[in-house]
């Protein structure tokens, strides 16, 4: 059996970097504390040394305050690794040594690795390794995980340590420690010193695991707040006895001696400039991913329809009349070109094999409209992933979270929650996956729920289609304004609902936001690539299976009557096939459901093909771009949508309510599947109800206000009443909690 060596250390001390260097594994290296929530295992094999390496989650102490601490502590106590490498960020020696003083109390061989020695060197500082090692009583070595320095030497020391035995030692000099230690030894409990000290510290986990012994120990320290004492003593030991090993004078930081990183931070986290700068950065990312008029050249009047011969290929791919395409759009065009070509190839193949019409229809709608439609979104999602990973990897996202923390705390969220929300403007799937970086379930639930409100790339198609109708003669609105309002509405509803949830169902306090700002550094391209690929794989798998299934069901229901008679396509005047819905299960079903939307103004109150709006709202659950697609299919072409919708005699309020409902309601299947995977158990059904309820109520309000302007007063009053009631409820509940705490 090979030796097991565990890597333990503070977040951002370089554990994962070292782990990757040792194992050559493909773990992602990020900047956020808490990225390493999963445990990673790998093998080190070089010049006769072989060991399995375990990357433990980053922790500041061994008290069970966070899941990470519990995981790491239990791993060491229960799995009994042969040795621990305690990795320390040498540029933050004192803070990191706090954990070391606790690790030392366990009966396990330890090697201390002083990481980031390259940074120390640059700053003309150093550490007296021999002195520190003597004082701690364990081997110490300087390494640089990033520069791959001292790694093999470290492994030689760790592997030697595996062969040795080590008994726990403590820096605490309190007289109770010895007594407690003795009690635990007499009970022959493993790691007696560590457990004894945890018992003295009133540690909850210890009280659970060794109940009897723990009580015995507690009876000897009656009245002493040992946990506070021990923390103080540890820090005192570090400053009094260990700080002396830091070599080189750290120059007093004066105004003109700021490092480049400090200077950049002064601007990027500036009270006034931080948010505008971030919004501009975001705008650039979105422009590079989604813009069809990059740098606004088209809008500025630069002509792009230069139709000289032979450039039809480039025309459309790289630019259109509207302007230059962004890299994201170019990639999407390429992908859609390829999938379109594949689709026609399949269709031709099936035709050549004289496949029956229904089979062609089935395969084409499942493969082309289902699977290929999702693949079509991939390039832009990848683009967003890439830019966001770049921001995260360089250390910028940590600053953004820091800045937004000030604002978000009031709604019961930490600043970190802001990033996944913003990603919701691109695509909800990666955005929800990104909530893994959040600390508490409460934060994840709140964030995942409101991500669905943001106007993602796929919803833009529906906004476009409806905006065009609103801009028609019948209504005379400004289409651009409609689009902008929908972007804003999503954000406003999200903020409002986060506050309401904080006051009612998600009342927990947010833990303090401990996060040092990591130094800026160039991204590691290999890690970035692996990271992106990891996310993509999951997306393709999840989304494709669900979408194919959904496309299959919709095809079945729209092509068969309730008695399972196949409905063949009609043929239009150009000989092209047009879908025929008359008598289909789907149309019947929609007519059955449409009364639900009557209050919103787009249900069974509509004339003509009004059921199509109900259908679009339902098919939109598969993928949001299908909302517009459904209308187009039923109208028989993009140009005909306006006529179809106007022919239903829909009101302005009804049309807006249709758009708002689809913008805010249950997101596409891919996002729901992601939410299911990312939410805590049992939360999905509440979340779906939350989406349905919010979208219905907001759409109803919009409908009322725009159809009968005087209802605005009532709507505003109702909204105000809801908020006041929620706030009073919150105050009431908080009071009650305080009372029960005092009573206890
Ligand atoms: P973990 O949270 O302990 O897993 O830390 P990571 O391995 O994710 O490292 C945190 C950050 O420190 C990353 O940005 C690394 O690139 C950086 N880093 C890790 N080791 C070194 C090192 O030896 N020198 C320098 N300069 N940076 C390092
Ligand atoms: Mg890590």
């Amino acid at each position: 059996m090979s030796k097991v060596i565990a890597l333990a250390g503070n977040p951002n001390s370089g554990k994962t970097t070292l782990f990757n260097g040792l194992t050559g594994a493909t773990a992602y290296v990020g900047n956020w504390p808490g990225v390493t929530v999963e445990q990673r295992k790998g093998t080190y094999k070089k010049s006769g040394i072989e060991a399995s390496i375990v990357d433990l989650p980053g922790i500041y102490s061994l008290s069970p305050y966070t899941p990470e601490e519990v995981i790491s502590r239990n791993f060491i106590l229960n799995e009994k690794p042969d040795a621990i490498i305690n990795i320390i960020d040498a540029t933050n020696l004192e803070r990191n040594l706090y954990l070391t003083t606790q690790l030392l109390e366990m009966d396990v061989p330890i090697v201390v690795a002083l990481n980031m020695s390259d940074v120390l060197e640059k700053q003309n500082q150093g550490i007296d390794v021999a002195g520190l090692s003597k004082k701690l009583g364990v081997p110490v070595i300087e390494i640089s995980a990033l520069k791959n320095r001292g790694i093999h030497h470290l492994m030689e020391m760790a592997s030697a340590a595996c062969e040795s035995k080590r008994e726990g030692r403590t820096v605490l000099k309190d007289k109770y420690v010895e007594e407690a230690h003795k009690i635990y030894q007499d009970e022959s409990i493993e790691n007696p010193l560590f457990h004894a000290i945890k018992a003295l510290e009133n540690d909850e986990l210890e009280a659970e695991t060794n109940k009897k012994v723990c009580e015995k120990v507690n009876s000897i320290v009656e009245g002493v707040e040992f946990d506070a004492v021990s923390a103080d003593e540890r820090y005192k030991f570090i400053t009094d006895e260990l700080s002396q090993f830091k070599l080189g004078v750290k120059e007093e930081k004066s105004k003109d001696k700021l490092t480049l990183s400090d200077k950049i931070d002064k601007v990027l986290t500036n009270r006034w400039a931080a948010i505008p700068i971030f919004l501009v950065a975001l705008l650039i990312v979105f422009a590079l991913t989604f813009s069809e008029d990059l740098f606004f050249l088209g809008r500025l009047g630069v002509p792009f329809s230069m139709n000289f011969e032979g450039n039809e290929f480039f025309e459309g791919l790289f630019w259109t009349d509207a302007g230059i395409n962004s890299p994201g759009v170019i990639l999407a065009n390429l992908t859609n070109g390829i999938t379109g070509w594949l689709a026609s190839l399949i269709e031709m193949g099936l035709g050549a094999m004289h496949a029956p019409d229904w089979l062609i229809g089935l395969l084409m709608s499942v493969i082309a409209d289902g699977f290929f439609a999702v693949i079509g979104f991939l390039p832009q999602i990848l683009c967003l992933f890439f830019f966001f990973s770049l921001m995260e990897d360089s250390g910028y996202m940590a600053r953004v979270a820091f800045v937004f923390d000030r604002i978000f705390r009031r709604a019961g969220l930490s600043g970190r929650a802001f990033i996944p929300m913003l990603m919701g403007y691109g695509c909800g799937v990666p955005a929800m996956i990104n909530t893994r970086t959040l600390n508490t379930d409460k934060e994840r639930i709140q964030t995942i729920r409101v991500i669905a409100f943001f106007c993602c790339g796929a919803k833009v198609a529906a906004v476009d289609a409806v905006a065009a109708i609103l801009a028609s003669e019948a209504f005379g609105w400004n289409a651009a304004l409609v689009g902008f309002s929908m972007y804003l509405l999503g954000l406003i509803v999200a903020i409002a609902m986060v506050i309401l949830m904080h006051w009612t169902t998600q009342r927990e306090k947010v833990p303090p936001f401990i996060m040092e700002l990591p130094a800026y550094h160039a991204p590691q391209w290999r890690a970035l690539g692996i990271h992106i690929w990891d996310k993509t794989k999951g997306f393709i798998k999840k989304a494709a299976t669900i979408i194919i299934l959904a496309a299959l069901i919709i095809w079945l229901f729209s092509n068969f009557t309730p008695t399972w008679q196949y409905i063949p396509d009609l043929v239009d005047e150009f000989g092209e096939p047009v879908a025929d819905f008359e008598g289909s299960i789907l149309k019947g079903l929609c007519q059955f459901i449409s009364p639900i939307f009557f209050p919103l103004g787009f249900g069974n109150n509509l004339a003509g093909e009004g059921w199509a709006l109900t259908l679009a709202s339902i098919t939109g659950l598969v993928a949001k771009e299908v909302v517009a697609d459904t209308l187009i299919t039923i109208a028989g072409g993009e140009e005909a949508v306006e006529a179809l919708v106007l022919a239903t005699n829909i009101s302005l309020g009804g049309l807006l309510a249709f758009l708002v409902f689809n913008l805010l309601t249950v997101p596409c299947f891919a996002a729901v599947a992601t939410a299911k995977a990312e939410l805590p158990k049992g939360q999905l059904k509440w979340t779906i109800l939350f989406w349905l309820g919010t979208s219905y109520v907001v759409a109803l309000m919009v409908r009322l206000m725009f159809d009968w302007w005087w209802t605005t007063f009532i709507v505003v009053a109702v909204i105000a009443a809801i908020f006041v009631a929620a706030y009073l409820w919150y105050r009431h509940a908080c009071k009650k909690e305080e009372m029960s705490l005092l009573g206890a």
Side-chain angles (χ1 to χ4, degrees):
M1 221 177 73
S2 84
K3 299 167 241 180
V4 178
I5 298 176
L7 307 182
N10 287 11
N12 280 316
S13 55
K15 282 184 313 309
T16 306
T17 311
L18 177 63
F19 176 82
N20 289 347
L22 290 174
T23 59
T26 52
Y28 171 58
V29 186
N31 257 327
W32 268 347
V35 164
T36 319
V37 194
E38 303 115 359
Q39 191 188 84
R40 289 189 190 78
K41 288 185 181 176
T43 318
Y44 179 81
K45 214 171 178 179
K46 204 171 167 191
S47 352
I49 297 177
E50 189 177 340
S52 13
I53 312 283
V54 179
D55 182 19
L56 295 178
I59 48 176
Y60 294 105
S61 86
L62 289 173
S63 314
Y65 296 134
T66 66
E68 283 83 2
E69 286 165 347
V70 178
I71 294 172
S72 298
R73 170 166 156 176
N74 284 342
F75 182 86
I76 301 171
L77 292 176
N78 303 336
E79 314 282 319
K80 304 192 187 78
D82 296 283
I84 295 175
I85 292 178
N86 175 206
I87 180 161
I88 279 180
D89 173 358
T91 61
N92 261 316
L93 189 66
E94 283 97 340
R95 202 199 58 220
N96 279 254
L97 283 169
Y98 185 71
L99 174 67
T100 312
T101 62
Q102 298 188 39
L103 287 171
L104 285 174
E105 287 157 6
M106 295 174 153
D107 296 343
V108 55
I110 296 176
V111 177
V112 170
L114 300 170
N115 192 29
M116 319 250 179
S117 58
D118 54 313
V119 184
L120 275 196
E121 222 164 83
K122 252 191 223 147
Q123 297 172 344
N124 276 329
Q125 297 178 57
I127 288 170
D128 174 4
V129 174
L132 186 62
S133 166
K134 197 156 165 239
K135 194 90 207 168
L136 292 174
V138 295
V140 177
I141 176 176
E142 278 187 297
I143 64 161
S144 167
L146 194 65
K147 303 263 148 84
N148 237 322
R149 262 193 264 147
I151 305 296
H152 187 64
H153 195 182
L154 169 68
M155 283 311 290
E156 284 174 344
M157 288 165 89
S159 138
C162 285
E163 307 300 332
S164 69
K165 279 255 171 298
R166 194 183 146 272
E167 230 173 69
R169 283 181 40 183
T170 181
V171 303
L172 304 175
K173 298 192 180 71
D174 206 284
K175 64 176 165 51
Y176 292 121
V177 172
E178 243 169 75
E179 276 179 58
H181 189 193
K182 191 127 191 337
I183 294 174
Y184 267 81
Q185 271 175 327
D186 291 344
E187 300 281 339
S188 49
I189 286 171
E190 287 183 334
N191 287 300
L193 182 63
F194 175 81
H195 284 293
I197 290 172
K198 286 294 166 258
L200 285 172
E201 287 174 350
N202 265 329
D203 182 284
E204 284 166 33
L205 201 59
E206 181 61 27
E208 271 169 41
T209 37
N210 295 315
K211 198 158 177 290
K212 284 247 169 67
V213 204
C214 198
E215 274 165 15
K216 216 191 231 174
V217 167
N218 282 332
S219 64
I220 63 170
V221 279
E222 212 63 76
V224 184
E225 296 265 333
F226 194 84
D227 36 350
V229 178
S230 82
D232 268 359
E233 235 187 296
R234 289 181 202 280
Y235 277 122
K236 197 159 173 318
F237 178 81
I238 291 168
T239 42
D240 292 356
E241 314 260 343
L242 298 180
S243 290
Q244 52 173 322
F245 301 116
K246 287 194 349 186
L247 305 176
V249 220
K250 201 166 186 179
E251 291 153 60
E252 278 297 308
K253 265 192 193 167
S254 64
K255 273 247 157 63
D256 42 53
K257 282 246 174 89
L258 292 175
T259 64
L260 182 62
S261 189
D262 289 337
K263 276 186 210 153
I264 297 174
D265 269 347
K266 270 220 129 108
V267 181
L268 292 188
T269 61
N270 176 281
R271 183 172 268 272
W272 305 112
I275 292 176
I277 289 175
F278 175 62
L279 290 180
V280 169
L282 206 68
L283 197 70
I284 294 173
V285 167
F286 276 85
L288 286 174
T289 310
F290 292 108
S291 176
E292 294 182 4
D293 180 13
L294 205 54
F295 313 124
F296 300 111
L297 292 180
R299 219 160 289 179
L300 291 175
V302 181
F304 285 98
S305 43
M306 307 165 281
N307 269 316
F308 42 87
E309 219 143 312
N311 73 357
E312 289 89 356
F313 176 72
F314 299 105
E315 171 94 47
L317 177 59
F318 292 115
W319 68 83
T320 61
D321 288 352
I324 314 181
N325 286 335
S326 61
V329 173
I330 294 172
L331 285 174
N333 285 345
L334 269 177
T335 314
N336 287 330
I338 294 170
T339 52
W341 174 74
L342 278 176
S344 54
L345 211 64
I346 296 172
E347 197 169 7
M348 262 162 52
L350 287 169
M353 290 188 305
H354 301 290
D357 279 355
W358 66 267
L359 185 65
I360 298 181
L362 170 67
L363 287 179
M364 291 321 290
S365 67
V366 170
I367 296 174
D369 304 342
F371 186 65
F372 284 169
V374 189
I375 297 297
F377 272 93
L378 205 54
Q380 281 167 328
I381 292 173
L382 273 180
C383 254
L384 267 192
F385 271 157
F386 173 77
F387 290 120
F388 278 102
S389 299
L390 210 62
M391 288 209 236
E392 192 180 318
D393 222 31
S394 65
Y396 180 55
M397 278 302 196
R399 269 97 185 155
V400 174
F402 171 76
V403 168
F404 277 94
D405 193 56
R406 280 183 286 211
I407 302 164
F408 268 55
R409 190 147 293 276
R410 282 176 215 161
L413 290 180
S414 75
R416 267 181 267 221
F418 190 57
I419 289 143
M421 279 186 209
L422 284 170
M423 292 178 78
Y425 272 135
C427 174
V429 172
M432 289 179 184
I433 294 174
N434 205 271
T435 60
R436 283 184 199 165
T437 52
L438 303 181
N439 271 338
T440 64
D441 277 355
K442 164 207 158 89
E443 275 192 280
R444 302 193 64 195
I445 293 171
Q446 278 183 305
T447 310
I448 286 177
R449 284 183 181 171
V450 303
I451 281 172
F453 297 149
F454 287 82
C455 184
C456 73
K459 289 177 188 164
V460 172
V463 174
D464 268 2
V466 176
I469 302 169
L470 283 166
S472 71
E473 268 180 50
F475 297 110
W477 279 37
N478 179 321
L481 196 67
V482 175
F484 180 72
S485 323
M486 290 305 131
Y487 265 71
L488 211 59
L489 181 76
L491 182 67
I492 293 170
V493 173
I495 292 176
M497 293 316 286
V498 160
I499 294 174
L500 277 185
M501 277 189 271
H502 178 56
W503 283 346
T504 53
T505 57
Q506 307 288 327
R507 220 159 9 80
E508 231 172 286
K509 285 240 157 51
V510 206
F513 189 49
I514 314 175
M515 178 156 87
E516 335 73 60
L517 300 181
Y520 289 101
H521 59 89
Q524 294 165 300
W525 298 107
R526 210 175 98 86
L528 197 71
I530 292 162
H531 181 43
I532 291 176
W533 170 238
D534 264 359
K535 287 192 173 178
T536 314
K537 240 184 356 200
F539 172 79
I540 297 180
K541 244 193 347 227
K542 244 187 233 161
T545 45
I546 287 174
I547 293 247
I548 284 183
L549 196 71
L552 191 73
I553 292 170
I554 286 183
W555 178 85
L556 268 178
F557 283 12
S558 57
N559 282 279
F560 285 89
T561 65
T563 50
W564 296 108
Q565 299 279 313
Y566 179 66
I567 308 169
D569 282 351
L570 296 175
V571 177
D572 70 5
E573 67 247 49
F574 307 107
E576 293 286 324
V578 201
D580 178 18
F581 297 93
E582 214 41 62
S584 68
I585 302 175
L586 204 59
K587 181 168 179 180
L589 218 58
C590 287
Q591 282 167 333
F592 180 70
I593 295 171
S594 60
I596 296 176
F597 297 121
F598 178 83
L600 305 191
F602 63 95
N604 53 349
N605 48 335
L606 297 183
E609 302 285 1
W611 64 278
L613 294 178
T614 301
L615 178 62
S617 305
I618 295 169
T619 52
L621 300 180
V622 178
K624 287 295 161 187
E625 59 276 38
V626 181
V627 175
D629 274 358
T630 305
L631 294 179
I632 293 168
T633 323
I634 292 175
E638 212 172 330
E639 347 46 67
V641 172
E642 190 179 309
L644 174 127
V645 173
L646 291 179
T648 64
N649 288 328
I650 194 167
S651 62
L652 172 64
L655 192 53
L656 280 171
F658 169 73
L659 185 54
V660 168
F661 179 79
N662 279 295
L663 180 75
L664 301 180
T665 199
V666 179
C668 66
F669 275 153
V672 173
T674 312
K676 179 171 162 43
E678 300 298 329
L679 280 169
K681 256 204 162 50
Q683 282 293 336
L684 186 69
K685 57 176 183 296
W686 297 118
T687 302
I688 287 179
L689 275 179
F690 171 83
W691 285 329
L692 284 173
T694 310
S695 56
Y696 197 89
V697 170
V698 178
L700 180 65
M701 287 174 171
V702 168
R703 197 264 161 130
L704 290 176
M705 288 194 293
F706 280 90
D707 276 353
W708 302 286
W709 64 268
W710 50 268
T711 56
T712 307
F713 302 111
I714 301 172
V715 168
V716 170
V718 168
I719 294 175
I722 292 174
F723 270 81
V724 170
Y727 184 65
L728 290 178
W729 162 257
Y730 172 68
R731 292 294 301 269
H732 173 73
C734 286
K735 272 242 177 69
K736 228 163 80 185
E737 259 160 41
E738 269 170 38
M739 296 290 276
S740 72
L741 274 182
L742 286 177

